Amino acid sequence: MKKNTFKIIVLFVMTFSISSYSQTEKEKSVILSQTNISNLKKLKSQFGKSQMSKYDKAAALAKQNGWPIKFASPDGTYSELKEVTESGFPLYRVTRNEGSAFTSRVARLRPNGGLGLNLTGKDLFVGVWDQDNATIAHEDFGGRAFVYDNNTNPTSYHSSHVTGTMISSGTNSINGSGKGIAYEAYAYVSNWNRDLEEMTELATNNGLLLSNHSYGLLATSASFPEFIFGAYRADSRDIDQIAFDAPYYQPVIAAGNDRNKVPNINASKDGYDLLTDFSTAKNAIVVAAIEGLDSGGYVNASSVVMSNFSSWGPTDDNRIKPDIATKGVNVYSTTNAGNNKGYGTISGTSMAAPGVTGALLLLQQHFRNITTGFMRSATLRGLMVHSADEAGDAKGPDPKFGWGLLNAEKAVGLISNAYKTNNNVIIQEFDSRTAPLFQGGVYTKIVKAKGSEPLVATISWTDQAGLANNGTVDLTTPVLVNDLDIRITKNTEVFFPWRLNDVRNQPAVQGDNKVDNIEKVEIDLPTSDLYTITVSHKGILSGNSQDFSLIISGLEENTLSTNDSDFKYFNISPNPMDDLVNISVQSDISEDMYLEVYNLLGVRQIFKKINSQNSNFVDTVDVTSLMPGFYIFKIKQGVKQSSWKIIKN
């Protein structure tokens, strides 16, 4: 009885401490208002029962067959029994062992980094699921790491290293060389046994933004089921379902380290088709490991050198996985040695994934600093892809590096540019707060290219969970549920998004993409002319609509000033606005016209009917109730609508 009472007290203290340092209650409420809480609660119960049932069955068979429950390998990896396949083969989870901030350009975002941004992850948190526990008492965590699942497992070198890569202060490392990417952030730390259940719980109750998963399946046995490689199985489907119901939540997954294993894994594929488990999920970010950039930094694609172990994709339906690459070789971070002061150097996609997770947390921090809200996960993924540096032997994505090298500096630059007055970048979210893409709908936007830099447009969306593969080798049927399409046109010329080549070792091509839920169109040498960007969809949209995010760069300044206009004339002034705003619209129809004003969290602030004078609609609107910041003014008249971005100083 005393033992149970103690656990309850500890849990209360931990909950109080965490809530004191995480997002504000207002920020959580905005996230949770867009979260399908009822469905997530059902999933939590379902995952809890399912994971324990699978483990109990596997443990019983392990006892019967003499299989180990846990074991360490000579290469330093650690494995633990997870489940058995339908044919009775045991599946083990395995850790992904083998100057991250310099390679990802995060160093430029920090205090004294040269950009004046001072991004450290302060007041934000990540979820960490891994082997056993991180050394939460490590001095360089400064009390910012918590055992969320209240387990009593021992600490592990691997979990401590992964957690430190994200949040370590680096105080006890040489010259601060062990400083984490988001070194003032907080971390919920849990072991991997009930990951799906706990991910669902944190997304439901805490508005979790990001989590790191540096583990996967042990695939070194010659009898490992071949169909699992590249397959969209139940665990990937479950990750997609959680992300769909929690649209601000982004899981980050290590791709794996199986390319240099002997005997050769999936030997007939020449290093391709090695992804398993979570790393085939559509809505997850899957991370490849590369060598760190040399002192000259990034110059071109040849600056990015692939590690000798990182697992390559693609998925069986030829999706672009991994998604992104960053340093995973000789990463220096905290360990569970050294009397709570230990550091060590190891390599692996396990070390690359938290580098990405930490960097994405800084992007969320910067977005919040500018807009007072957070990006949906689809926007975050799209921004990461849009800003990635080229890597590999040919232009475009590939199954080795994904979309290329993470470039956090470029990503924050896009955010900053999108929300200034004279902007030439667009970042827009289309969802229930504004308007998603409806069944049969087409979104069209006319933009003017700057002409002196590439015109790039990216759409991304969080897709619904697809159908799991239960045993077919190399099943090529797309698991995409809602297939959106983006095109850029100029007169009769059509520019298509990237997709992987049907032949794995051949360069990507630009054409109709039927499998990915991120599509990116690049025009390297646009003219300084008008281009039309169109977003549409194929077939029937499940749910009759699909939220999506759109990012466009390479525009002439002030493109957003008159975006999406369906009217003959449309003007709102002044911009920046004072306490009164003048609205003038000319229309060729006589229906009632309405004004809606949204903040950048998508919350409507003003709604009113606009006065009409024949075909002219003129009104003066009192905006004294609006706080300083950016707002979207949307004019609606029947099927017509236009929007205008206004800043209030």
Side-chain angles (χ1 to χ4, degrees):
M1 182 67 182
K2 290 182 179 179
K3 183 177 180 181
N4 290 338
T5 302
F6 174 74
K7 287 180 69 175
I8 291 171
I9 292 172
V10 170
L11 182 61
F12 171 79
V13 173
M14 182 184 73
T15 303
F16 176 81
S17 300
I18 292 171
S19 63
S20 299
Y21 296 116
S22 58
Q23 291 104 277
T24 67
E25 291 304 314
K26 181 179 180 181
E27 289 166 345
K28 285 183 185 177
S29 68
V30 172
I31 292 173
L32 296 179
S33 69
Q34 301 295 308
T35 299
N36 190 336
I37 293 176
S38 62
N39 202 40
L40 285 171
K41 288 181 176 179
K42 294 176 185 176
L43 288 174
K44 176 183 179 296
S45 175
Q46 173 190 322
F47 292 151
K49 293 175 182 177
S50 174
Q51 287 190 283
M52 286 301 99
S53 175
K54 289 178 180 179
Y55 178 79
D56 290 344
K57 178 181 177 181
L61 286 172
K63 183 177 181 180
Q64 178 182 327
N65 294 298
W67 303 333
I69 298 295
K70 303 178 181 180
F71 63 91
S73 301
D75 63 359
T77 58
Y78 174 93
S79 300
E80 183 173 355
L81 186 65
K82 175 178 181 281
E83 61 180 293
V84 293
T85 65
E86 292 296 323
S87 62
F89 182 85
L91 297 180
Y92 287 83
R93 278 188 164 142
V94 62
T95 55
R96 299 301 199 185
N97 292 3
E98 288 298 321
S100 301
F102 176 75
T103 298
S104 63
R105 271 55 60 88
V106 161
R108 296 276 290 153
L109 281 55
R110 291 173 169 171
N112 302 315
L115 299 180
L117 298 180
N118 301 321
L119 300 179
T120 64
K122 186 176 175 62
D123 297 336
L124 300 181
F125 64 90
V126 295
V128 186
W129 279 268
D130 211 281
Q131 172 208 351
D132 294 326
N133 288 325
T135 307
I136 63 170
H138 197 291
E139 290 186 7
D140 289 7
F141 293 163
R144 291 175 288 106
F146 308 90
V147 179
Y148 173 74
D149 60 358
N150 207 30
N151 76 74
T152 56
N153 290 17
T155 62
S156 79
Y157 189 106
H158 188 269
S159 180
S160 300
H161 198 281
V162 165
T163 303
T165 302
M166 289 181 282
I167 73 163
S168 169
S169 67
T171 302
N172 287 293
S173 61
I174 301 172
N175 297 323
S177 56
K179 182 178 288 186
I181 301 296
Y183 59 87
E184 289 190 324
Y186 295 79
Y188 295 123
V189 180
S190 303
N191 67 29
W192 55 31
N193 292 334
R194 301 173 74 94
D195 49 6
L196 289 169
E197 177 187 7
E198 291 157 0
M199 292 159 68
T200 306
E201 185 175 68
L202 274 171
T204 304
N205 298 332
N206 295 71
L208 185 65
L209 291 173
L210 285 149
S211 65
N212 191 84
H213 307 263
S214 288
Y215 53 90
L217 293 182
L218 180 66
T220 55
S221 168
S223 55
F224 184 83
E226 183 184 357
F227 90 91
I228 292 179
F229 291 111
Y232 185 79
R233 296 176 63 246
D235 277 354
S236 288
R237 178 200 63 204
D238 293 341
I239 286 279
D240 282 342
Q241 185 62 59
I242 296 171
F244 182 77
D245 288 327
Y248 285 85
Y249 172 46
Q250 182 59 64
V252 179
I253 316 294
N257 312 316
D258 290 333
R259 208 176 77 258
N260 65 350
K261 292 291 170 56
V262 178
N264 290 335
I265 305 301
N266 215 9
S268 64
K269 304 295 180 63
D270 296 323
Y272 296 95
D273 193 20
L274 292 176
L275 302 179
T276 63
D277 211 40
F278 289 165
S279 59
T280 63
K282 294 176 288 185
N283 299 326
I285 290 173
V286 181
V287 184
I290 62 165
E291 302 275 349
L293 295 180
D294 63 27
S295 59
Y298 181 86
V299 178
N300 52 40
S302 63
S303 304
V304 187
V305 179
M306 174 57 62
S307 67
N308 67 357
F309 52 79
S310 190
S311 292
W312 296 346
T315 60
D316 286 347
D317 60 346
N318 210 32
R319 281 179 287 121
I320 301 165
K321 295 288 177 180
D323 297 274
I324 201 74
T326 196
K327 179 178 177 178
V329 178
N330 297 329
V331 176
Y332 185 62
S333 185
T334 51
T335 72
N336 63 343
N339 194 26
N340 296 330
K341 296 181 180 181
Y343 269 83
T345 299
I346 49 177
S347 300
T349 55
S350 276
M351 286 61 251
V356 170
T357 306
L360 296 182
L361 191 68
L362 297 186
L363 298 190
Q364 286 284 24
Q365 182 184 14
H366 184 54
F367 192 85
R368 182 182 70 170
N369 289 347
I370 289 181
T371 70
T372 72
F374 294 109
M375 290 177 276
R376 292 164 73 95
S377 62
T379 312
L380 187 63
R381 288 195 304 277
L383 183 65
M384 179 192 74
V385 166
H386 193 97
S387 58
D389 286 329
E390 190 64 61
D393 297 329
K395 185 173 173 58
D398 63 38
K400 301 177 181 180
F401 301 91
W403 287 97
L405 177 64
L406 178 70
N407 188 338
E409 180 182 0
K410 184 176 179 181
V412 298
L414 290 170
I415 295 171
S416 298
N417 200 320
Y419 296 102
K420 68 180 184 180
T421 302
N422 297 319
N423 60 300
N424 58 7
V425 172
I426 293 171
I427 300 176
Q428 288 182 285
E429 296 181 335
F430 297 85
D431 51 52
S432 59
R433 302 165 303 173
T434 50
L437 189 67
F438 289 103
Q439 177 63 44
V442 177
Y443 171 82
T444 301
K445 182 174 187 61
I446 298 174
V447 299
K448 185 174 183 181
K450 190 173 184 179
S452 58
E453 63 184 71
L455 175 62
V456 184
T458 302
I459 58 168
S460 50
W461 65 101
T462 299
D463 198 38
Q464 296 182 34
L467 296 176
N469 178 359
N470 293 318
T472 303
V473 176
D474 292 338
L475 181 65
T476 59
T477 304
V479 297
L480 195 63
V481 176
N482 285 339
D483 184 359
L484 304 192
D485 292 305
I486 185 170
R487 306 285 188 266
I488 300 180
T489 56
K490 178 188 174 186
N491 299 323
T492 59
E493 191 173 9
V494 181
F495 300 89
F496 287 87
W498 288 105
R499 68 172 181 85
L500 291 183
N501 200 303
D502 294 331
V503 180
R504 291 190 182 101
N505 61 359
Q506 295 300 305
V509 297
Q510 290 168 299
D512 186 23
N513 189 326
K514 301 178 182 179
V515 295
D516 289 295
N517 57 331
I518 296 179
E519 294 192 1
K520 180 179 181 180
V521 184
E522 295 181 280
I523 305 175
D524 290 335
L525 298 171
T527 55
S528 182
D529 290 306
L530 295 178
Y531 290 79
T532 300
I533 296 174
T534 304
V535 180
S536 60
H537 72 87
K538 299 185 184 74
I540 303 298
L541 287 178
S542 178
N544 294 314
S545 68
Q546 176 63 57
D547 299 346
F548 71 97
S549 301
L550 172 65
I551 301 170
I552 311 171
S553 62
L555 304 176
E556 187 177 80
E557 288 187 353
N558 290 318
T559 298
L560 267 183
S561 298
T562 57
N563 69 322
D564 306 332
S565 182
D566 287 341
F567 300 104
K568 294 166 63 176
Y569 175 78
F570 174 38
N571 187 62
I572 300 178
S573 63
N575 187 8
M577 59 183 167
D578 299 315
D579 291 337
L580 296 176
V581 171
N582 301 309
I583 299 175
S584 178
V585 187
Q586 287 185 350
S587 177
D588 54 7
I589 60 176
S590 59
E591 296 181 51
D592 289 340
M593 184 176 291
Y594 295 90
L595 166 69
E596 295 178 337
V597 179
Y598 293 86
N599 64 18
L600 292 180
L601 294 177
V603 179
R604 193 169 71 181
Q605 307 291 305
I606 295 174
F607 175 77
K608 74 180 299 286
K609 184 177 178 180
I610 299 178
N611 296 321
S612 62
Q613 302 173 2
N614 299 319
S615 62
N616 295 324
F617 293 80
V618 181
D619 212 336
T620 299
V621 181
D622 187 336
V623 292
T624 54
S625 62
L626 300 181
M627 300 295 291
F630 286 93
Y631 295 88
I632 302 297
F633 279 59
K634 182 168 287 189
I635 305 294
K636 293 183 177 181
Q637 184 189 38
V639 297
K640 292 177 175 289
Q641 67 174 12
S642 292
S643 58
W644 198 289
K645 189 185 71 173
I646 302 285
I647 186 173
K648 186 174 185 183
N649 292 327

